[in-house]
Amino acid sequence: MERADFLIIGGGVAGLSAAARLARYGRTILLEAEEALGYHSSGRSVSFSHYGIGTAPVRALTAYSRPHFAPPLGRIFPTLYFADHASLPLLDALEADMAALSAEIRTLDAAQMTALFPPLRTGPGGAVRGLLDPTGLKLDADLILQSFAREVRAAGGSVLTGRRVAAVEPGWTVRTEAGETFSAPVLVNAAGAWADRVASLAGVAPLGLQPKRRTIIVVDAPADARIDTWPFALSAARDFYVQPEAGRLLVSPVDEVPDEPGDAQPEDYDIALAADRLERYTSIKVARIAHRWAGLRTFTADRIPKAGFAEDASGFFWLAGQGGYGFQTAPAMAEIAETLITGTAWPKGLAELGVGVEQVAPGRAAIGLA
Ligand SMILES: Cc1cc2nc3c(=O)[nH]c(=O)nc-3n(C[C@H](O)[C@H](O)[C@H](O)COP(=O)(O)OP(=O)(O)OC[C@H]3O[C@@H](n4cnc5c(N)ncnc54)[C@H](O)[C@@H]3O)c2cc1C
């Protein structure tokens, strides 16, 4: 039996970021089921940080997390939200939400949008107005995961892969599928889409988490295009985005299909939808889909990620429900976990942004408050 002060289940961005903070206070052991860190959601993300997604608390958690993503973890990457006539009210709502956090948001007309993103279809039936956020951040997911893991190890903690937790005894002692045991008075459940299942192993009431599948296709860029200057372009209707990356284009139909925890795979229908929307919103023709994948985004009922001790099990800490913003909110959520587990003061900056302990408390998700 290996003993620690903090045991963490899950080697995605949530578990690793929390482990990096907790390792400063005591012996920390992180257990990841797969042979590689970030095999599930955290390795399938497009890893962007922007204010165009999520509820007000999520945007506040995003704002608080930004300073963590200095280069090389993040780099400035403009974000363009575009709207046709029908979706103009959505663009207006987005502008009001985003303007509260970024002073640099600008409205663009059709000509300004095509100057920035030439293939965008404008005019009748196409985009008529846009919103440019020049402060978007493209994050380096792998570097972020590895740097958190390095922090854990540098503080004397362990990050162990190939350790699938199969049994959990209150107190807390966990046993892996291979029969190894680990124990600690605090158990952090950062098992992503599986977090409710881990809670069930521990006899803790589930939060009612819902994993939802999202699909990405990678297509070749038009031969003559200078795509390195293109923004991350998203429809205000929230049914499409395209992002240039490494000479190709990542495209999503922004699907949210309820799914089970597991190794998510893209469905033909969503792949076709992604290609169709790229051709509908832009003049780009999809000649070949070079690559495709799907990943799970796991939501709580109120779409606010949760961090806090379970009300029904002493020492069982939830860190779950990161939805589609687990990277951009990870530094804030990890600091919240540190605060609540070690009993330090609530971060002043979070309070100033309007985030209090009650918003992220897991009890709120369990009773389905929206
Ligand atoms: C297509 C796509 C695009 C996205 N784009 C963005 C974006 O632009 N910006 C952003 O911030 N977020 C984005 N996200 C969301 C982000 O990826 C997730 O919110 C985040 O990765 C969730 O992290 P996690 O650590 O909770 O989950 P995971 O990364 O899934 O980690 C949970 C881990 O727990 C492990 N585990 C489960 N059960 C056990 C067990 N019994 N024993 C041991 N280990 C176990 C799993 O193997 C898994 O590795 C996107 C997601 C997808 C799918």
Side-chain angles (χ1 to χ4, degrees):
M1 159 106 64
E2 225 185 303
R3 291 182 196 283
D5 297 297
F6 310 111
L7 269 184
I8 289 139
I9 301 178
V13 68
L16 286 162
S17 56
R21 298 210 69 117
L22 292 172
R24 305 169 188 178
Y25 295 84
R27 170 103 176 107
T28 299
I29 300 177
L30 181 145
L31 304 172
E32 164 53 46
E34 305 292 349
E35 295 300 330
L37 296 174
Y39 177 81
H40 290 289
S41 302
S42 300
R44 306 170 190 214
S45 172
V46 300
S47 56
F48 211 86
S49 175
H50 62 126
Y51 297 125
I53 185 171
T55 51
V58 166
R59 283 192 295 277
L61 292 165
T62 301
Y64 187 78
S65 298
R66 269 185 75 94
H68 181 87
F69 298 123
L73 300 183
R75 70 190 156 92
I76 292 287
F77 200 112
T79 310
L80 172 69
Y81 306 86
F82 60 86
D84 56 15
H85 269 295
S87 54
L88 278 177
L90 297 170
L91 195 74
D92 290 340
L94 200 58
E95 183 172 7
D97 288 341
M98 289 172 57
L101 289 159
S102 171
E104 297 183 49
I105 308 293
R106 289 206 314 269
T107 302
L108 303 188
D109 62 21
Q112 289 167 316
M113 286 193 287
T114 48
L116 195 65
F117 182 38
L120 185 68
R121 287 193 197 280
T122 56
V128 292
R129 201 193 319 147
L131 204 57
L132 177 69
D133 178 3
T135 69
L137 282 180
K138 175 69 186 172
L139 308 179
D140 186 329
D142 191 49
L143 200 58
I144 290 168
L145 298 180
Q146 295 307 331
S147 73
F148 284 137
R150 261 199 310 277
E151 276 186 63
V152 179
R153 293 185 180 117
S158 304
V159 174
L160 306 176
T161 56
R163 278 20 180 243
R164 186 177 303 277
V165 171
V168 183
E169 297 293 331
W172 296 94
T173 300
V174 307
R175 199 180 67 249
T176 65
E177 265 179 358
E180 283 176 284
T181 53
F182 300 86
S183 86
V186 173
L187 180 67
V188 177
N189 177 9
W194 291 263
D196 271 349
R197 293 199 178 165
V198 165
S200 300
L201 289 179
V204 172
L207 294 187
L209 297 168
Q210 177 60 69
K212 294 191 173 178
R213 194 177 65 240
R214 174 147 300 177
T215 307
I216 305 287
I217 62 169
V218 182
V219 302
D220 294 331
D224 49 348
R226 289 243 4 244
I227 69 166
D228 52 330
T229 61
W230 289 2
F232 181 22
L234 306 93
S235 68
R238 297 185 192 282
D239 61 359
F240 167 78
Y241 64 65
V242 55
Q243 184 190 123
E245 187 171 277
R248 288 194 168 134
L249 302 172
L250 306 189
V251 183
S252 178
V254 188
D255 44 335
E256 279 198 357
V257 185
D259 207 337
E260 291 296 310
D263 195 353
Q265 297 300 323
E267 300 271 330
D268 288 347
Y269 174 80
D270 299 310
I271 292 168
L273 205 56
D276 179 65
R277 295 210 173 130
L278 180 65
E279 294 193 344
R280 185 150 64 80
Y281 280 123
T282 75
S283 57
I284 300 165
K285 291 274 163 268
V286 178
R288 185 175 76 98
I289 297 176
H291 189 42
R292 68 211 66 192
W293 73 84
L296 298 176
R297 301 156 81 247
T298 297
F299 293 94
T300 58
D302 65 5
R303 295 205 159 216
I304 303 173
K306 299 301 166 203
F309 283 107
E311 285 166 0
D312 54 340
S314 165
F316 186 96
F317 193 90
W318 285 99
L319 187 57
Q322 280 74 7
Y325 17 80
F327 273 92
Q328 66 188 51
T329 59
M333 292 302 289
E335 198 174 328
I336 290 173
E338 171 192 357
T339 297
L340 297 175
I341 291 171
T342 65
T344 49
W346 188 256
K348 200 167 153 263
L350 273 177
E352 282 166 3
L353 284 163
V355 180
V357 67
E358 65 288 350
Q359 278 147 329
V360 293
R364 191 177 153 109
I367 56 174
L369 280 181

